[in-house]
Amino acid sequence: MAALLGDEGYDVAVCPNLTAISKHVDEHIGAILLTEEALRDEQTALRDAIAAQSGWSDIPFVLLAAQRAGRASLSTVSPLQLFRESVNNVVLERPLGKASLISAVSSAMRSRQKQFEMRDRLRDLAASESRLRLAAKASDVGTWDHDLVQQTLHWDDRCKATFGMTADTEVTEELWFAIVHGDDRERVGRAFRRAIQTDGDGVYDVEYRTIGMSDGIERWVAARGGCHFAAGEAIRFIGTIIDITERKKDRGCSDRFGGGAPCREGHDR
C-alpha cells in the first residue's frame, strides 16, 4: 500500500504500531491509514496525541477492516468502535482494490487540505486582530471578535462599556441582540446575516441604538467590520464599535433649529 500511495505522489511513513504513529501526529500530517489489526495495540499514546490537536485540526483516518464472515456488521467490531464517535474516519473492508484505496485517501487528503486552509486563515486573522487591538487602544474604539466555528464572542472592555456592560460580562450572541433597541433589532440582524453569507462580500457597516445592559442608557453606536471565510465557510466575524451618541445629538440639534446657526446647547451644524 505504501508503494501504491507513493506512486500517486503521497509521502508515506510506515509505522510498526500506534505509539509510533502518535509521534507523527502534528499539524503537517495529512491522514492516517490503519488496519484493524493495528487497533488491537495499546491506544493511549495515539489517543493523547489526537486530543492534543489544535482546534482547527481533525486528522482524517482511513481504517481497513478485515473481511467479515456472513452479515457481521462493522459497527460490532470493538477496536473500530473506539474511534467512531470522536475521529474523522472512513472504514473500508478488505480485500479492496487500488482504486478504492486511492479514492479514500484522496478524499481524506482533500478534507485535510481544507483544514490547512482554515489554519492559515486563522493565523492571518490573529495577526490582523493584534494590529486592530493596538490601534483601538489609542483611539477609544471598542473591538469585537465572533468565532463562528466555536460560536464564542470576545468583546474588549471598551466594547462592553459602549453597551453598558461591566468588564466581567460574558457576552453571547443572544445577549448582544437582546440589548439592541427593539426598533433596530431586525435591521441589525439582517446586516449580520448578510455579512456572514458565503456568497456575499462579508462587509458589516451599520449604525443602531442600544439600551445599556446595566445602566439602561440609550446609546447610538457605529459598528464596522466584516466576516472572514476559509474553504467556503464563514469562520470569524470581527470589527470595531464606537459610541456616536453625541454626533447623533448634534445632528438632531441642527435638524431642529435649521441653517448654520448654533443650537441652544452650543452645537454647530
Side-chain angles (χ1 to χ4, degrees):
M1 287 189 289
L4 289 174
L5 293 171
D7 290 342
E8 295 295 320
Y10 294 110
D11 182 11
V12 182
V14 179
C15 300
N17 51 49
L18 299 187
T19 299
I21 290 176
S22 68
K23 297 177 181 178
H24 288 271
V25 174
D26 56 27
E27 67 173 40
H28 303 295
I29 191 171
I32 296 176
L33 180 65
L34 288 175
T35 64
E36 177 183 336
E37 292 81 358
L39 289 176
R40 298 192 176 99
D41 190 18
E42 171 57 48
Q43 298 185 6
T44 302
L46 181 56
R47 285 184 171 278
D48 289 346
I50 292 170
Q53 295 179 94
S54 299
W56 58 266
S57 180
D58 185 13
I59 298 174
F61 280 72
V62 178
L63 306 178
L64 303 181
Q67 187 174 20
R68 291 294 176 275
R71 293 181 173 274
S73 170
L74 289 175
S75 64
T76 64
V77 183
S78 57
L80 300 181
Q81 187 66 23
L82 293 174
F83 281 86
R84 286 185 177 277
E85 296 182 359
S86 60
V87 175
N88 175 16
N89 68 63
V90 60
V91 179
L92 302 176
E93 185 174 345
R94 305 196 306 264
L96 72 159
K98 175 182 176 181
S100 296
L101 174 67
I102 298 302
S103 175
V105 172
S106 177
S107 178
M109 292 294 284
R110 287 195 299 271
S111 171
R112 187 60 167 167
Q113 182 59 38
K114 291 181 179 180
Q115 296 177 31
F116 289 152
E117 292 171 5
M118 181 174 290
R119 172 201 63 191
D120 296 342
R121 189 61 175 155
L122 288 172
R123 287 177 176 172
D124 291 343
L125 285 174
S128 298
E129 181 183 349
S130 178
R131 292 191 294 269
L132 175 64
R133 288 179 176 173
L134 287 173
K137 285 183 179 179
S139 58
D140 202 29
V141 174
T143 62
W144 41 267
D145 183 346
H146 189 168
D147 186 327
L148 298 169
V149 177
Q150 302 296 326
Q151 285 299 308
T152 57
L153 276 72
H154 173 78
W155 290 11
D156 68 2
D157 291 348
R158 168 56 59 186
C159 187
K160 291 179 180 179
T162 303
F163 285 83
M165 298 178 180
T166 58
D168 60 353
T169 302
E170 285 288 332
V171 184
T172 64
E173 188 175 306
E174 292 75 15
L175 178 60
W176 166 38
F177 278 107
I179 57 179
V180 173
H181 193 288
D183 292 342
D184 297 339
R185 196 170 296 150
E186 183 179 350
R187 180 167 54 85
V188 173
R190 285 199 307 270
F192 170 65
R193 291 189 296 272
R194 186 167 55 248
I196 65 174
Q197 287 177 346
T198 55
D199 58 350
D201 59 11
V203 174
Y204 182 73
D205 186 351
V206 62
E207 296 181 358
Y208 58 94
R209 290 164 291 177
T210 72
I211 304 299
M213 177 179 167
S214 60
D215 56 24
I217 297 175
E218 181 178 305
R219 299 176 176 87
W220 273 95
V221 299
R224 306 286 186 272
C227 187
H228 297 266
F229 303 87
E233 180 181 359
I235 59 171
R236 295 284 288 280
F237 182 55
I238 62 176
T240 62
I241 197 86
I242 186 170
D243 188 330
I244 59 170
T245 305
E246 291 303 316
R247 184 203 308 171
K248 289 291 186 178
K249 286 181 178 178
D250 291 350
R251 188 176 300 167
C253 288
S254 62
D255 289 343
R256 288 197 306 273
F257 290 92
C263 68
R264 285 175 295 182
E265 289 82 9
H267 299 142
D268 291 320
R269 184 179 178 86

